[in-house]
């Protein structure tokens, strides 16, 4: 794949391929997905299409002003969650098939806390998908692995997929 060299361009390049990125996770019809720091829903919106009527996408952000496209989406599978700004995820343990941490870890004071919360809500055998923008990917990989996930593969060398053990 012809990945652009600059990180800023890579983010746009990835967002243009959101469906392909999510298919590589994979996200399937009927899945329950949690998107931590969803922003305007670049990934949550296509994920809602992919899980369909039988699935659910819980898209969380602590900044309501960024979430308008998610809150306004007339999609019955998409649920906007107003985060409290901590790493707490208001979902039951093992309730998700897939968790997304895309371009958000660099914003968090407690990265480990977020990864541990993701481990709590993702079922054993489920997938955590991470796009570690502005951070050293190898460092992030080691941190995720230390929280009980096994590295599986990546998309274009940019987005890492881990299996929840
Ligand atoms: C750079 S944006 C990325 C948005 C989206 N994931 C994407 O890749 O397009 C990071 C988002 O994380 C949100 N965020 C930061 N800290 C958060 C927290 N503790 N809980 C929930 N959202 C948070 C910010 O408000 C922002 O919308």
């Amino acid at each position: 794949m012809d990945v652009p060299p600059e990180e800023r361009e890579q983010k746009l390049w990835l967002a243009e391929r959101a469906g392909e990125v999510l298919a590589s996770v994979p996200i399937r019809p009927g899945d329950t997905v949690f998107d931590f720091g969803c922003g305007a829903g670049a990934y949550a919106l296509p994920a809602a299409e992919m899980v369909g009527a039988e699935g659910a996408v819980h898209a969380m952000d602590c900044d309501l002003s960024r979430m308008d496209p998610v809150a306004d989406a007339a999609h019955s599978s998409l649920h906007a969650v107003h985060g409290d700004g901590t790493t707490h995820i208001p979902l039951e343990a093992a309730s998700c098939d897939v968790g997304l941490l895309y371009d958000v870890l660099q914003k968090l004071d407690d990265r480990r806390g977020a990864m541990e919360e993701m481990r709590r809500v993702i079922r054993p055998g489920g997938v955590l998908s991470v796009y570690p923008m502005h951070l050293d990917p190898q460092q992030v990989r080691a941190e995720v692995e230390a929280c009980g996930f096994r590295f599986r593969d990546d998309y274009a060398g940019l987005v890492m997929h881990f299996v929840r053990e």
Side-chain angles (χ1 to χ4, degrees), residues 94-151:
S95 59
C96 298
D97 302 290
V98 172
L100 307 179
L101 274 173
Y102 286 178
D103 187 17
V104 64
L105 284 171
Q106 78 279 7
K107 307 267 186 197
L108 305 178
D109 296 330
D110 182 11
R111 291 210 295 264
R112 186 179 176 98
M115 292 169 191
E116 287 175 346
E117 268 293 83
M118 286 302 232
R119 187 170 191 280
R120 184 182 68 79
V121 300
I122 297 171
R123 64 168 172 78
V127 177
L128 174 64
S129 182
V130 182
Y131 174 37
M133 201 172 170
H134 305 311
L135 297 170
D136 173 5
Q138 292 311 312
Q139 170 70 27
V140 171
R141 174 175 168 170
E143 290 175 11
V144 174
E145 288 175 331
C147 287
F149 293 92
R150 174 175 47 80
F151 178 78

Side-chain angles (χ1 to χ4, degrees), residues 14-130:
L14 273 180
E16 285 167 5
R17 292 160 178 77
E20 205 174 288
V21 174
L22 295 171
S24 75
V25 172
I27 290 179
R28 300 187 174 101
D31 276 351
T32 297
V33 177
F34 179 75
D35 185 1
F36 193 123
C38 62
Y43 295 91
L45 289 162
E49 292 292 332
M50 294 168 83
V51 301
E54 304 302 314
V57 176
H58 301 280
M60 183 172 91
D61 207 288
C62 59
D63 183 352
L64 277 182
S65 68
R66 298 211 50 182
M67 293 185 75
D68 286 349
V70 174
D72 295 348
H75 203 300
S76 59
S77 300
L78 184 57
H79 308 282
V81 180
H82 185 201
D84 62 7
T86 71
T87 57
H88 174 63
I89 300 173
L91 292 177
E92 298 287 315
S95 59
C96 298
D97 302 290
V98 172
L100 307 179
L101 274 173
Y102 286 178
D103 187 17
V104 64
L105 284 171
Q106 78 279 7
K107 307 267 186 197
L108 305 178
D109 296 330
D110 182 11
R111 291 210 295 264
R112 186 179 176 98
M115 292 169 191
E116 287 175 346
E117 268 293 83
M118 286 302 232
R119 187 170 191 280
R120 184 182 68 79
V121 300
I122 297 171
R123 64 168 172 78
V127 177
L128 174 64
S129 182
V130 182

